[in-house]
Amino acid sequence: MILYQHFGLESKPIFKHFELTNFNYPPHLHRAFEVIIVETGQLHVQIEKKTYHVNQQQFIIIFPNQIHGFNMLPNSRALIILFSPELVGAFSEQYQEQVPQNPVIFGTPTLDFDKLTDLFAIKGFLYTLCSQILAQTTLTPQKTSDKLNIVHDIIGYVNQNYAENCTLKSAATSLGYDYVYL
């Protein structure tokens, strides 16, 4: 089972960060970029069908709409950063439909969230992170469907209405799509 999260679908761009200790998260996807920085220990991250080992002084980047999950080894702590593609618009546009060949990046970014108080500081930090990613990995084409927004809409509808009589016809009506089209 793959969980769907609404990160990156909010009306305003998001920039969230939080720490996790000794935590595992099942396969999921969302429209936001996700950076996982290993502060102590090690974690195993599954992206699509590959597993990556991320150690202290490393981080991993997960691009929007990639199915991913992770398992932390005991006594591990990681910092998770989620951000909307709109916050790095030029990067997102230039590299859309591409993913890192090796998403494990060496060198922990300098973090002082107290200084990231305005949109320009946040964007500056994120673009510096993007530059570090481009310096250490190659981005390769990933075929994605041009119907991805519809898929997000349908998954969101099912997620909100699964306890009720959830049919394709009711989804089409609610989302404003033609039933035959869906």
Side-chain angles (χ1 to χ4, degrees):
M1 181 167 107
I2 297 169
L3 300 174
Y4 177 76
Q5 297 180 316
H6 293 278
F7 296 126
L9 293 176
E10 295 81 359
S11 59
K12 294 200 282 188
I14 63 156
F15 177 76
K16 299 180 180 200
H17 54 88
F18 47 92
E19 284 194 39
L20 296 174
T21 303
N22 300 329
F23 195 81
N24 299 324
Y25 207 88
H28 62 284
L29 79 143
H30 43 74
R31 194 184 151 273
F33 282 94
E34 183 170 340
V35 173
I36 306 173
I37 301 167
V38 177
E39 295 179 322
T40 59
Q42 183 183 60
L43 67 137
H44 304 292
V45 180
Q46 303 83 34
I47 302 176
E48 302 297 336
K49 295 179 182 176
K50 289 182 102 175
T51 299
Y52 300 92
H53 306 285
V54 189
N55 299 308
Q56 197 170 341
Q57 301 300 312
Q58 293 179 323
F59 68 92
I60 191 163
I61 179 76
I62 299 118
F63 276 41
N65 302 310
Q66 288 190 290
I67 297 171
H68 62 285
F70 61 86
N71 299 309
M72 289 184 172
L73 272 58
N75 303 313
S76 295
R77 187 176 72 238
L79 175 68
I80 311 292
I81 301 172
L82 293 161
F83 59 95
S84 299
E86 293 79 11
L87 291 177
V88 288
F91 179 83
S92 292
E93 285 178 32
Q94 185 166 350
Y95 298 106
Q96 72 183 38
E97 298 183 20
Q98 293 185 50
V99 294
Q101 196 169 41
N102 179 7
V104 178
I105 308 299
F106 291 89
T108 305
T110 305
L111 296 166
D112 187 354
F113 290 112
D114 293 334
K115 291 185 178 179
L116 300 179
T117 56
D118 62 66
L119 186 59
F120 296 110
I122 291 169
K123 284 185 172 196
F125 165 73
L126 293 176
Y127 274 111
T128 300
L129 198 64
C130 290
S131 178
Q132 186 176 357
I133 292 162
L134 290 174
Q136 292 191 38
T137 191
T138 302
L139 297 180
T140 59
Q142 177 189 34
K143 190 172 184 175
T144 58
S145 171
D146 58 345
K147 306 288 188 248
L148 200 53
N149 287 336
I150 296 169
V151 172
H152 281 283
D153 291 345
I154 293 170
I155 292 172
Y157 176 82
V158 171
N159 199 29
Q160 291 177 352
N161 298 287
Y162 67 91
E164 301 168 16
N165 187 15
C166 189
T167 65
L168 189 57
K169 192 168 207 149
S170 66
T173 301
S174 177
L175 298 172
Y177 292 111
D178 180 67
Y179 172 71
V180 175
Y181 178 75
L182 276 186

